[in-house]
Amino acid sequence: EYQPALGGVGTVGMIARYYFGNRVGFTEEIDIGTRSMGPAKMPGVHPADCNIEWKQQWYADSNDRAGTALWFNAIGCGAVVDDGFVRGVLVATPHGIGVVRCSAVVDGSGSADVPAHAGADTEAIDARHVAIQGAGLGPRQPGHQYRNTDWTFIDDNDVVDTTHAMVAARRKWPNEFDLSTLVDSRERRRIKGDVTVSPLDQLAGRTWPDTIVTAHSNFDTHGMTIHPIFMVKPMDKAALDAHVPFRCLLPAQLRNVACTGLGKSAHRDALPVIRMQPDVQNEGYAAGVAAAMAAASTQGDLRSIDMAALQAHLVDIKILAEEVPTHHDSFPLPAHELTAAIAEGTDSYLGLATIFAQGEAALPELRSAFNNATGELRLRYAQILGLLGDATGAAELATAIAGSEWDEGWNYRGMGQYGRCMSPIDDLLVALGTSGSTEHGAMVIDKITSLTAEHHMSHSRAVSEACERLKLTEAAPALAAFLRQDGIAGHHHDSIRAAQAAASPDACDTAVRNVSLRELHLARALYRLGDHQGLGAEILGNYASDLRGVYARHAQAVLAETPALVTV
């Protein structure tokens, strides 16, 4: 453990109050054990908060009783790999560096560190979409248990970015006693596992034969989403159950490694539902039991363990409900469910998930439904067709966009973000771009030329994505002209001084992210469309050396694309 205590975000990170999550099984054991360490009521402490020092100590005591060796201030920094098995982890400690031999590995870092060191395929944050859940780094006062913040993006794997966040946080709260020593990030590097959990799985209630946890949360997204289903029907605050299969913890190229928490294989828009502390605690327990079984009986091979035995144990300790081990994979969904979903008018999450999960197979019935529909329903079918890459309804989309002034868009919001992160016009623009229809490029350019610095960030994102997907090279001059308007460009942080100057006392600041996201979207589109007078490359070059690792990684990835006109 590279921190000086156990518990991660829930203790050292000071997010000491559960939001959602199934508080059963091992999580219930943790909570009962933590509460038993002191008086039932503590003055000045919210009744929903755990005592972070007690919880740290409960973890330490439990490990001591189990005979576990705990190494604090120790960082995993490499792996010894033999034919798909990690046989040792290189660890740097205050006393030196060495290899810890192992039969099986549970990576609880949340950043897929062991798979990355072992050469497994992982997904970085986020070179393609610059869409990442907001992160925080809060102040600390003696006696305070809960300090939840969301004021930046932080790439935990980037030492410059983490240092930058620490320095900026000092400027934000100069009069506080101290800072947390742990970045409170909500999205990190993830493995590419045997299966990848998607929002469609969650919205359709997908069951799996190897479920180890049934998570419970809403789409607490802390930022903007990218999955097309949420452009048709924005997420709401309703909570749902979502089954987590063991296979999403297993890196595809490695036999004896399981990654828990934020490091598991999941679409970034699915992560909010399966990242809540109670569920991750139970998931870590399940992974630990599985690794012990593998070490004892299968030379560490996690894919060869007795899944029925593991699930039976998880039922016994009440992590799983009794019926879960009887589940099978409920995908692919039956054909009659697709027909019913299209016929009902695509108004429910389940219906939309059914359509998007079928993809190309849904197109014939969708085209027929579009041709027979009128009014808003016809436009809805056109939008879904467009988002599935079909141009049947492109003219309908273009007519709706051209006949509308800019509506109220969306400026970046992290904490408490639910519902839309793009406006109705934005959603239609992205659908038109994804449809591939190039007949309406002049209308898209007209929308760009009508933008000003006062318009919301989501409009810039929408026109940028539409132009990229249409490869609308003729839009480059308009994008460049907008970038040259006062206040649109120049928001990169190339020094600690710039980061400090932008710091505000707001624990959930959005202003700094909003202007940078707008600038990056526009510059990326400009560059991908062949650039105009080199402005796109200039702006991306500035961000490529930004202290904020998420922006730098994104800009570097775009600049590395060849040729300049790419498929997105």
Side-chain angles (χ1 to χ4, degrees):
E1 169 59 56
Y2 82 99
Q3 290 289 331
L6 300 176
V9 165
T11 58
V12 183
M14 297 188 66
I15 303 182
R17 186 181 305 165
Y18 294 152
Y19 179 49
F20 274 108
N22 269 329
R23 302 164 198 186
V24 297
F26 182 56
T27 284
E28 184 176 29
E29 180 184 344
I30 294 170
D31 295 343
I32 292 172
T34 300
R35 287 194 297 268
S36 69
M37 298 188 72
K41 293 184 179 180
M42 291 186 62
V45 176
H46 190 283
D49 294 351
C50 81
N51 184 298
I52 58 178
E53 282 81 16
W54 295 0
K55 191 168 185 177
Q56 290 170 6
Q57 191 60 42
W58 183 88
Y59 277 128
D61 290 349
S62 298
N63 277 280
D64 184 60
R65 288 192 297 272
T68 310
L70 295 176
W71 292 11
F72 292 114
N73 304 116
I75 302 174
C77 55
V80 179
V81 185
D82 178 21
D83 194 25
F85 286 83
V86 173
R87 293 307 186 193
V89 178
L90 183 65
V91 181
T93 79
H95 307 290
I97 297 177
V99 172
V100 179
R101 295 178 180 177
C102 53
S103 294
V105 181
V106 178
D107 181 345
S109 67
S111 292
D113 287 340
V114 171
H117 290 307
D121 202 3
T122 58
E123 185 173 38
I125 312 173
D126 184 323
R128 297 165 304 158
H129 300 286
V130 72
I132 181 173
Q133 295 183 64
L137 181 63
R140 182 162 189 177
Q141 286 284 355
H144 287 198
Q145 309 298 321
Y146 179 77
R147 301 299 291 267
N148 194 0
T149 66
D150 179 349
W151 55 272
T152 188
F153 302 134
I154 305 173
D155 183 349
D156 305 65
N157 303 109
D158 186 330
V159 66
V160 173
D161 192 7
T162 305
T163 301
H164 147 266
M166 292 281 182
V167 173
R170 285 286 181 195
R171 178 59 61 93
K172 284 178 75 69
W173 294 293
N175 299 320
E176 294 278 2
F177 175 76
D178 202 353
L179 292 179
S180 166
T181 59
L182 179 66
V183 167
D184 287 332
S185 53
R186 298 171 175 90
E187 184 177 345
R188 304 175 191 167
R189 180 173 57 200
R190 300 183 295 280
I191 63 168
K192 293 185 178 179
D194 289 357
V195 298
T196 299
V197 177
S198 82
L200 304 182
D201 299 326
Q202 297 167 341
L203 292 169
R206 185 173 185 175
T207 57
W208 311 83
D210 57 334
T211 292
I212 55 169
V213 168
T214 300
H216 181 74
S217 181
N218 59 16
F219 286 93
D220 181 31
T221 188
H222 280 265
M224 58 188 184
T225 55
I226 62 174
H227 199 285
I229 194 171
F230 297 123
M231 296 181 187
V232 182
K233 185 176 176 63
M235 59 183 62
D236 57 29
K237 295 185 73 171
L240 69 160
D241 290 334
H243 300 298
V244 179
F246 184 56
R247 286 168 294 163
C248 79
L249 275 59
L250 306 181
Q253 298 96 332
L254 300 174
R255 302 296 305 174
N256 66 330
V257 177
C259 287
T260 65
L262 301 184
K264 58 181 168 281
S265 186
H267 186 283
R268 53 97 50 214
D269 288 347
L271 204 58
V273 179
I274 54 176
R275 65 162 171 77
M276 294 298 151
Q277 288 182 43
D279 298 322
V280 170
Q281 289 166 177
N282 282 331
E283 179 183 284
Y285 178 94
V289 173
M293 292 169 63
S297 61
T298 65
Q299 290 76 52
D301 189 344
L302 286 161
R303 288 172 181 81
S304 299
I305 64 169
D306 185 340
M307 180 54 61
L310 174 61
Q311 289 182 316
H313 174 66
L314 298 177
V315 169
D316 285 344
I317 68 165
K318 302 189 184 310
I319 286 179
L320 291 182
E322 289 187 3
E323 70 273 9
V324 171
T326 68
H327 288 170
H328 65 279
D329 193 340
S330 57
F331 275 33
L333 298 167
H336 70 270
E337 292 187 10
L338 174 61
T339 300
I342 294 173
E344 74 177 10
T346 66
D347 226 6
S348 71
Y349 287 122
L350 176 58
L352 286 168
T354 302
I355 293 168
F356 278 98
Q358 302 293 334
E360 193 165 329
L363 293 178
E365 290 189 61
L366 281 169
R367 293 187 193 111
S368 177
F370 167 76
N371 289 328
N372 293 320
T374 59
E376 287 296 318
L377 183 57
R378 182 176 171 87
L379 182 61
R380 174 66 67 92
Y381 285 129
Q383 182 185 11
I384 296 170
L385 283 163
L387 291 169
L388 288 173
D390 187 282
T392 300
E396 189 83 13
L397 295 170
T399 298
I401 297 166
S404 304
E405 299 294 326
W406 280 117
D407 49 9
E408 183 178 2
W410 178 82
N411 277 334
Y412 182 85
R413 179 177 180 178
M415 188 78 78
Q417 167 57 29
Y418 300 97
R420 289 191 171 278
C421 64
M422 299 186 84
S423 75
I425 296 298
D426 297 333
D427 291 332
L428 296 181
L429 275 163
V430 174
L432 178 63
T434 310
S435 78
S437 174
T438 58
E439 298 178 17
H440 311 285
M443 181 272 297
V444 177
I445 294 172
D446 286 343
K447 300 303 286 189
I448 298 171
T449 58
S450 66
L451 287 173
T452 68
E454 284 69 44
H455 280 106
H456 289 156
M457 184 275 290
S458 66
H459 296 334
S460 293
R461 175 191 171 191
V463 296
S464 298
E465 292 192 11
C467 289
E468 288 175 323
R469 297 177 190 205
L470 293 173
K471 299 182 181 175
L472 196 62
T473 56
E474 56 268 38
L479 290 168
F482 184 37
L483 276 162
R484 289 193 173 98
Q485 287 188 22
D486 289 345
I488 302 299
H491 301 290
H492 57 285
H493 289 177
D494 55 4
S495 67
I496 290 292
R497 183 168 296 176
Q500 290 176 321
S504 78
D506 186 352
C508 297
D509 176 65
T510 60
V512 175
R513 287 176 284 187
N514 191 67
V515 292
S516 291
L517 286 169
R518 178 176 61 184
E519 182 180 5
L520 259 177
H521 275 101
L522 293 165
R524 183 190 68 201
L526 177 59
Y527 180 78
R528 285 176 167 171
L529 297 175
D531 216 341
H532 183 73
Q533 300 175 346
L535 181 59
E538 177 186 338
I539 293 173
L540 290 170
N542 290 335
Y543 277 95
S545 56
D546 198 293
L547 298 183
R548 296 165 295 181
V550 174
Y551 298 139
R553 188 188 296 273
H554 184 68
Q556 291 163 11
V558 175
L559 288 170
E561 294 171 350
T562 53
L565 279 173
V566 298
T567 300
V568 295

